[in-house]
Amino acid sequence: MATDIVAQLADSLAKAGVEEGELSYKGQGRKLDDAQAVEEMVKEIQDFEGLQALRLEGNTVGVEAAQAIAKALETKSEFKRCYWSDMFTGRLRSEIPPALNSLGDALMLAGAKLTVLDLSDNAFGPDGVRGIEKLLKSTACYTLQELRLNNCGMGIGGGKILASCLIQCHKKSSAVGTPLSLKVFVAGRNRLENDGATALAQAFQLIGSLEEVHMPQNGINHAGVTALAAAMQHNKELRILNLNDNTFTEKGAIAMAQALKHLCSIQVINFGDCLVRPAGATAIAETVSGGLPILKELNLSFGEITMEAALAVAQAVKNKDQLEKLDLNGNCLGASGCTALKDTMEGMNMADLLGSLSDDEDEDEEDDDDDDDDDDDDDDVDEEEEEEEEEEEEESSDNKISTPTSAPRPLDVSSFLNFPSPDKLLKLGAKRALLIEQQVDVTDASRTAEAFLKIASVYKEDNTDLKDAVLDSVDALMKKAFASPSFQGYSFVSALLVLLGLIKSEDKVKPVVVVTGHLHVLEHVVRQDYFPRERRDRMSHKALESCGNARNRLQSTLQRVRAES
């Protein structure tokens, strides 16, 4: 079996192809200051016939280098996808707008028809949004389907500029019979607050084609949430709505519950850490109970929800055949409430879908539902966030956005596995490997593969503590799996390949986005004694070329281990 497991992995990877027309420099850590530094890259771009995608993530690009790259893009009329996240590390904010302007001008001159624009993790602030303003209003973006601006520090001002661009793009594209049909919008950790969210809501309502909206950690209160709720009603195909770590209160939660009644295609609702409170949770439960037939995930964690409201939510998911996760952790159920909730889920044969309740707090004796108190709280939050926003915009050379401050909460394994992040893994503490090993049922090959990839996804080569945490956790999980007589090796590898998008499944399984961490961790795992070592076949990694150096390291390791066997 061990021999065939590795052979299956090798054969499947060898048959997979690269994404069409893609040139990748992802994760190479190059410092590209001027034209000379990108001379080789420019030639490769010029020589690439039918170039459709360029990956520059994980490098740092100066103004002169960007201008040289832009010149090479001016003739690429088939260009569609910009993967340009995290490419200004260490640059002054003043350098970013001219660099973006050069690249955008080149795409417009080429007559490109973009489908993906990813500028996440660039921390460029409002000025950076101005750097893509012309591009977003141009014919190059009439075809845009995915706009990813996560962790860019846009602030209220940037949010308003962005909203205006999207509205103009939609109006102009509609006038020529090809209205903008944006499907994916990502703008977490941008401190958009109420005004920025409200401006974007106007754009969303006009566009009406969104399938995924991710806007966590933006300091949005009930006014902004209510505006977003009204806009979401007009996006009938919405599948994923992630507003985690904003402040709904009852008002926002009730407005959102009403909006959800119009969204029959919704699959994932993430309102965790949104302070929905009992009235909001009850309203959401009523909506879930009366509709949302294909709901898969519902996160109402850390919302000050009491036992009665939590039980209403549990009853609401009773007939949701496609439900995979229900997260009610960190609420105010009390010991008896947690027991009642678990019993309710058990009685519906859905106990395995309920997340951990380890962070639950005792039910508050004080009445915390007073509307006046809510308004006062919201006003306080608004004032604090405005002050912090002003401080952030004064920083001209800081390339990283600080996470909005909130009181730290203890985390559990299920919270990490449901929504993995580096911070969550580290906060699990020294016993994280044991906790993960205990949490994952290795007799379920699919869930083992999912857990493996989720842990690997947060790997960072340049962060020693995080790197060690990931590898220790994966080692513990894989040792347990391969040592178990009931572990299904074939099924595990098949599930892994399906999730990596390398083979198709009869079931409708959405592949993960392959990141460098997946390959770094695979490279580590195949060198370990617990991993089957016989008959390593030659492995091709063309399907994973976007991951650059990590792919090459994995290939070398597999060749070496095969030779040693």
Side-chain angles (χ1 to χ4, degrees):
M1 183 188 78
T3 295
D4 293 334
I5 289 174
V6 177
Q8 180 189 359
L9 181 59
D11 291 343
S12 298
L13 285 170
K15 293 175 182 176
V18 294
E19 191 172 1
E20 185 181 1
E22 181 176 290
L23 182 59
S24 177
Y25 302 95
K26 179 178 178 180
Q28 296 184 8
R30 299 191 190 186
K31 192 172 187 296
L32 307 172
D33 294 328
D34 49 32
Q36 184 178 357
V38 294
E39 188 174 342
E40 180 182 347
M41 184 185 295
V42 165
K43 187 176 187 308
E44 290 175 346
I45 293 172
Q46 291 172 336
D47 293 344
F48 198 119
E49 295 293 332
L51 181 66
Q52 295 184 24
L54 178 63
R55 289 188 174 273
L56 295 173
E57 310 103 306
N59 299 286
T60 176
V61 182
V63 176
E64 291 183 20
Q67 291 170 343
I69 294 170
K71 188 68 177 176
L73 290 173
E74 288 180 357
T75 60
K76 303 301 177 181
S77 60
E78 298 178 49
F79 197 83
K80 296 180 180 180
R81 302 183 300 277
C82 306
Y83 298 109
W84 297 346
S85 63
D86 190 22
M87 68 173 202
F88 294 116
T89 300
R91 302 290 171 183
L92 296 174
R93 282 193 179 181
S94 59
E95 293 182 81
I96 300 175
L100 291 174
N101 269 317
S102 297
L103 293 166
D105 288 346
L107 297 178
M108 289 185 281
L109 183 60
K113 301 296 182 185
L114 296 184
T115 57
V116 178
L117 178 58
D118 185 356
L119 289 166
S120 297
D121 300 316
N122 279 314
F124 46 47
D127 289 341
V129 184
R130 293 188 183 93
I132 56 172
E133 188 172 3
K134 281 194 298 181
L135 176 64
L136 288 173
K137 293 179 180 179
S138 74
T139 57
C141 285
Y142 287 3
T143 50
L144 194 62
Q145 295 182 10
E146 298 183 18
L147 180 58
R148 300 176 182 273
L149 297 168
N150 200 59
N151 191 31
C152 286
M154 290 189 289
I156 295 172
K160 288 182 176 180
I161 297 169
L162 177 61
S164 177
C165 291
L166 293 175
I167 290 171
Q168 287 296 314
C169 184
H170 186 272
K171 288 181 176 178
K172 291 166 67 176
S173 59
S174 297
V176 296
T178 56
L180 173 66
S181 297
L182 190 67
K183 291 179 171 30
V184 178
F185 180 83
V186 181
R189 299 184 65 192
N190 271 289
R191 304 201 63 78
L192 296 169
E193 303 184 25
N194 288 337
D195 289 347
T198 300
L200 285 167
Q202 295 174 359
F204 297 161
Q205 181 167 328
L206 184 65
I207 292 168
S209 57
L210 289 166
E211 297 179 8
E212 297 185 24
V213 174
H214 303 264
M215 298 175 65
Q217 293 187 356
N218 269 297
I220 307 170
N221 299 322
H222 70 80
V225 172
T226 300
L228 288 171
M232 292 305 110
Q233 297 181 36
H234 296 270
N235 291 266
K236 304 294 185 182
E237 300 303 314
L238 191 68
R239 296 182 296 105
I240 300 174
L241 182 57
N242 176 8
L243 295 174
N244 188 283
D245 201 5
N246 291 290
T247 309
F248 283 35
T249 68
E250 292 91 334
K251 294 177 182 178
I254 291 171
M256 196 59 74
Q258 292 299 314
L260 289 171
K261 292 179 179 179
H262 300 270
L263 303 175
C264 295
S265 297
I266 200 79
Q267 296 179 18
V268 178
I269 299 171
N270 184 349
F271 297 161
D273 210 2
C274 285
L275 208 66
V276 299
R277 292 181 174 157
T282 301
I284 292 170
E286 291 174 357
T287 296
V288 171
S289 179
L292 313 190
I294 57 174
L295 184 65
K296 291 184 177 181
E297 298 180 20
L298 177 58
N299 182 353
L300 296 177
S301 60
F302 299 102
E304 292 189 0
I305 300 171
T306 53
M307 178 177 68
E308 184 178 353
L311 293 176
V313 173
Q315 289 291 342
V317 302
K318 181 176 182 180
N319 296 315
K320 305 303 170 188
D321 296 335
Q322 297 189 37
L323 190 73
E324 297 174 0
K325 298 173 186 174
L326 174 62
D327 192 347
L328 290 168
N329 196 23
N331 284 298
C332 305
L333 311 186
S336 59
C338 288
T339 300
L341 179 59
K342 291 176 182 177
D343 290 345
T344 298
M345 295 295 288
E346 180 70 35
M348 299 186 296
N349 293 320
M350 302 175 78
D352 58 328
L353 306 183
L354 179 65
S356 169
L357 299 175
S358 62
D359 295 326
D360 186 76
E361 301 175 7
D362 287 336
E363 194 170 347
D364 257 334
E365 294 180 0
E366 297 181 4
D367 180 15
D368 57 1
D369 295 334
D370 186 89
D371 285 345
D372 291 336
D373 288 346
D374 291 346
D375 292 340
D376 292 342
D377 290 345
D378 293 342
D379 291 341
D380 291 343
V381 173
D382 283 339
E383 292 171 3
E384 292 170 6
E385 289 176 344
E386 287 174 5
E387 292 171 1
E388 291 172 12
E389 177 66 24
E390 291 171 0
E391 292 173 3
E392 287 179 358
E393 291 186 2
E394 291 174 0
E395 298 175 7
S396 61
S397 61
D398 183 5
N399 192 62
K400 296 297 178 185
I401 296 299
S402 59
T403 304
T405 56
S406 59
R409 297 187 179 97
L411 292 166
D412 63 2
V413 177
S414 63
S415 176
F416 166 73
L417 291 176
N418 285 340
F419 305 100
S421 71
D423 186 55
K424 286 183 179 180
L425 181 63
L426 292 174
K427 284 184 177 179
L428 288 175
K431 294 184 178 180
R432 65 179 69 87
L434 177 62
L435 294 172
I436 291 173
E437 176 190 341
Q438 293 172 342
Q439 178 78 9
V440 179
D441 179 8
V442 296
T443 62
D444 188 326
S446 294
R447 294 202 172 186
T448 305
E450 289 176 2
F452 175 90
L453 291 176
K454 285 181 177 181
I455 299 167
S457 71
V458 304
Y459 179 98
K460 299 287 185 185
E461 182 71 13
D462 58 355
N463 185 328
T464 302
D465 290 341
L466 181 60
K467 177 179 176 180
D468 291 343
V470 169
L471 297 182
D472 288 347
S473 300
V474 165
D475 283 341
L477 179 62
M478 291 292 94
K479 284 178 183 177
K480 179 182 178 183
F482 282 111
S484 172
S486 58
F487 181 59
Q488 300 295 317
Y490 285 114
S491 298
F492 170 74
V493 172
S494 294
L496 197 64
L497 296 173
V498 168
L499 290 168
L500 289 171
L502 300 174
I503 63 174
K504 292 184 178 180
S505 169
E506 293 180 1
D507 300 323
K508 291 185 178 180
V509 177
K510 184 178 180 181
V512 301
V513 176
V514 179
V515 296
T516 306
H518 291 142
L519 300 191
H520 278 300
V521 176
L522 278 170
E523 185 263 340
H524 166 81
V525 165
V526 298
R527 290 189 285 108
Q528 305 309 307
D529 291 339
Y530 59 72
F531 195 85
R533 301 175 64 86
E534 303 92 2
R535 213 184 84 188
R536 261 72 173 180
D537 288 351
R538 183 175 176 272
M539 185 179 291
S540 168
H541 303 293
K542 291 184 178 179
L544 305 172
E545 285 189 354
S546 63
C547 296
N549 294 338
R551 178 200 68 239
N552 297 331
R553 284 180 53 187
L554 175 58
Q555 183 175 14
S556 299
T557 298
L558 283 163
Q559 291 173 343
R560 185 176 67 253
V561 173
R562 185 183 69 243
E564 291 172 355
S565 299

